[in-house]
Structures are given as C-alpha cells and as structure tokens.
C-alpha cells in the first residue's frame, strides 16, 4: 500500500503564492504517475496538474501559466508551485498516484489514480 504525505497549503491573499508537496512511500524500483486534484465545497473533484510516468506534464486550463508542477522520480515527490492565486483556487487539494502509465485525458479522470492523500486546504481571500 502506497502512502502519500502532503504538506504545504494554508491561507493567502489573492495574488499570493503557496507551495504544495507530496511524498509517496514507494515500493523498490517503482515509479508513479502523480497528480494534484482539488475539490471545492459543492463542486466535483477536478484535476489541477500532474506528471505521468511517461514524463508528460499536464495542467488544467484554469491554472496554466500560474501553477507549476515538478516531480522527483528518485524520491517519488510531486511539488506544485502556485502563483497568482485567486479566490476560485480555494479548495481542498489532494495528491494522487498510480504506478500505471497514463494515456488520453488522464488528468480528467480521478478514477485512474489508485492512491490518495488526505488532502490539504488552500484558502485564498480577496
């Protein structure tokens, strides 16, 4: 069983920055596709950014140009640098991982990810 440990998050004013990190306890010689999803109250969970085993990085249109994902394969860590935050970015952010290669619109499909963190809250005030 893979465990995902998230850190970062918090409260910031609009225009500010936050950094989220996710570390996966990994099996030897295993690599993971990893992603961040978020869910705001009353809304569905949506993919924010992720990096696949294939090396592909994807972003939701709403965060392109503001958020940057990076992944350390050796440590199985995924970092999300979030800049120019806006109130609509307020949500619980979840780290997700799978040891599968991903194809197609994988960032739109939370069900493709087998392992999930507990989530960290990001609150952006106007």
């Amino acid at each position: 069983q893979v465990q995902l440990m998230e850190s970062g998050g918090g409260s910031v004013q609009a225009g500010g920055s936050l950094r989220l990190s996710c570390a996966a306890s990994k099996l030897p010689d295993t690599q993971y596709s990893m992603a961040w999803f978020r869910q705001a109250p009353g809304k569905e969970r949506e993919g924010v950014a992720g990096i696949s085993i294939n090396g592909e990085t994807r972003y939701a249109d709403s965060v392109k140009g503001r958020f940057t994902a990076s992944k350390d394969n050796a440590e199985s860590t995924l970092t999300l640098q979030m800049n120019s935050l806006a109130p609509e970015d307020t949500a619980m952010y979840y780290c997700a991982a799978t040891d599968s290669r991903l194809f197609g619109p994988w960032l739109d499909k939370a069900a493709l990810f087998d392992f999930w963190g507990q989530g960290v809250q990001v609150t952006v005030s106007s």
Side-chain angles (χ1 to χ4, degrees):
Q1 182 73 12
V2 175
Q3 292 185 329
L4 302 177
M5 296 294 292
E6 299 144 326
S7 60
S11 298
V12 66
Q13 289 191 328
S17 299
L18 287 172
R19 185 180 181 91
L20 304 182
S21 294
C22 174
S25 64
K26 58 176 290 186
L27 297 174
D29 301 320
T30 303
Q31 292 192 2
Y32 299 96
S33 297
M34 300 179 73
W36 287 99
F37 288 78
R38 67 186 181 187
Q39 188 166 18
K43 294 188 176 182
E44 293 185 355
R45 188 170 295 193
E46 63 173 352
V48 177
I51 302 176
S52 71
I53 293 174
N54 315 10
E56 180 184 26
T57 302
R58 289 192 181 179
Y59 297 95
D61 288 342
S62 60
V63 307
K64 284 180 181 177
R66 301 188 298 124
F67 291 10
T68 302
S70 59
K71 184 166 171 281
D72 182 330
N73 287 324
E75 299 297 327
S76 290
T77 59
L78 180 70
T79 300
L80 185 67
Q81 178 65 42
M82 304 185 294
N83 299 327
S84 301
L85 284 161
E88 50 266 35
D89 295 316
T90 295
M92 186 71 79
Y93 284 68
Y94 297 91
C95 179
T98 177
D99 58 3
S100 300
R101 293 183 178 273
L102 300 173
F103 303 94
W106 50 266
L107 193 58
D108 297 334
K109 300 181 178 180
L112 294 176
F113 292 83
D114 303 306
F115 310 108
W116 290 82
Q118 294 297 309
V120 292
Q121 179 66 39
V122 171
T123 302
V124 184
S125 57
S126 58

